[in-house]
Amino acid sequence: KSMINNKVWRGRIFAGTVIVVVMVTAFIMRRQGFPLYENITSYLQFHRTTAPINFVLLYTLFSTLLIPTLPLNLLAGFLWGPLWGSAITVVGAALGSLFPFLLSRYILGDYFSTRFKSGKWQGLYDQLMKNSWKVVAFTRLNPAFPAGMLNYFYGISGIPFIRYFVATVLFLQPPIIIFAILGSMIGGIMQPEESAKMSRYLFLLGIVLTLFIVLGLILKKRYQKVEKEENQLVTENTLQ
């Protein structure tokens, strides 16, 4: 548990640091009068189709190469707002979870089988065999688990592809929406005339965070209940 808690805090510290650095940079650039936002807006106007496609391809590449995708999540919200930014990122995350899964299942299975022999991965594998898609959902919502490595891990696990893919796409959406909203708020910092939208974004962020926490608690409680029932069953069988 201590190892997982340490990973949770490291993940939170990393995410918080990235967000603070980006926001401070945006504020400084706005004060200094850099026309960055105007240049980006102009680029998007002339590349309405290719810009999202390039973003999705870049996101897929980052996921496949195990490069953190948090900056891209923020960038999507900054460029396209919370709605379209979330939608475009979900497409990128879906493809980014698909290709590593297929690589480890059909091409590089032998290699990745040797990469997941530690105790924590074996424990996760045992839980996956018992609880199937619920474990996928739990790990997608839990920052203790590295999303990139999970894609390869599930490829060698034997979980049916449809269950893996549907659970992944559904339960990656809450954190994606949160970071898209934060990215939109960064865009508001760089645009004085858009500051009125900040209150709406904060309200929307509060709703999404609440739903995210509630969903995580429900899955955690369900996960603990199943584990408790299994432990009781093992104890009863031992006593018999």
Side-chain angles (χ1 to χ4, degrees):
K1 288 185 178 179
S2 61
M3 182 184 299
I4 292 179
N5 289 333
N6 289 336
K7 286 181 175 291
V8 171
W9 280 109
R10 284 201 297 268
R12 290 173 178 174
I13 291 172
F14 172 75
T17 302
V18 170
I19 293 169
V20 170
V21 169
V22 172
M23 285 188 167
V24 171
T25 302
F27 178 77
I28 293 174
M29 293 181 71
R30 169 185 164 184
R31 291 294 298 270
Q32 295 296 324
F34 285 100
L36 176 63
Y37 188 84
E38 290 76 8
N39 293 338
I40 292 175
T41 302
S42 176
Y43 172 80
L44 293 178
Q45 288 177 347
F46 287 100
H47 301 84
R48 294 180 181 273
T49 302
T50 57
I53 292 175
N54 291 335
F55 178 88
V56 168
L57 293 176
L58 184 63
Y59 199 105
T60 303
L61 180 64
F62 271 43
S63 297
T64 304
L65 297 179
L66 302 179
I67 301 173
T69 55
L70 174 59
L72 293 181
N73 292 345
L74 295 171
L75 179 63
F78 175 85
L79 295 178
W80 293 288
L83 179 60
W84 284 109
S86 297
I88 293 170
T89 304
V90 167
V91 175
L95 293 177
S97 66
L98 172 64
F99 288 111
F101 179 91
L102 296 177
L103 280 173
S104 63
R105 174 153 295 189
Y106 298 111
I107 300 176
L108 301 175
D110 293 337
Y111 169 76
F112 282 105
S113 294
T114 63
R115 303 281 292 181
F116 297 110
K117 288 188 175 296
S118 64
K120 67 173 184 177
W121 290 110
Q122 289 299 317
L124 184 62
Y125 177 82
D126 294 339
Q127 292 298 325
L128 182 65
M129 293 301 98
K130 297 173 184 176
N131 300 301
S132 188
W133 67 268
K134 299 182 186 69
V135 173
V136 179
F138 179 75
T139 54
R140 292 309 188 185
L141 290 171
N142 194 327
F145 299 94
M149 291 299 293
L150 283 172
N151 297 329
Y152 290 102
F153 169 77
Y154 287 128
I156 65 170
S157 68
I159 184 174
F161 169 74
I162 295 298
R163 292 182 187 177
Y164 158 80
F165 189 69
V166 172
T168 292
V169 173
L170 287 178
F171 290 93
L172 276 178
Q173 291 185 34
I176 283 175
I177 294 172
I178 290 173
F179 289 120
I181 295 173
L182 290 172
S184 298
M185 293 172 63
I186 294 171
I189 292 175
M190 299 188 69
Q191 302 175 84
E193 68 276 7
E194 296 291 326
S195 59
K197 293 183 179 180
M198 294 286 284
S199 60
R200 294 201 298 270
Y201 290 159
L202 284 171
F203 178 72
L204 181 60
L205 178 62
I207 294 176
V208 175
L209 278 173
T210 301
L211 294 175
F212 178 74
I213 293 171
V214 170
L215 184 59
L217 290 174
I218 292 173
L219 285 172
K220 182 178 180 181
K221 187 175 181 180
R222 173 62 180 170
Y223 181 81
Q224 291 174 339
K225 181 180 178 182
V226 171
E227 190 174 19
K228 183 178 179 180
E229 291 174 351
E230 291 173 351
N231 292 335
Q232 290 177 347
L233 182 61
V234 171
T235 302
E236 292 173 358
N237 292 335
T238 302
L239 294 176
Q240 292 176 357

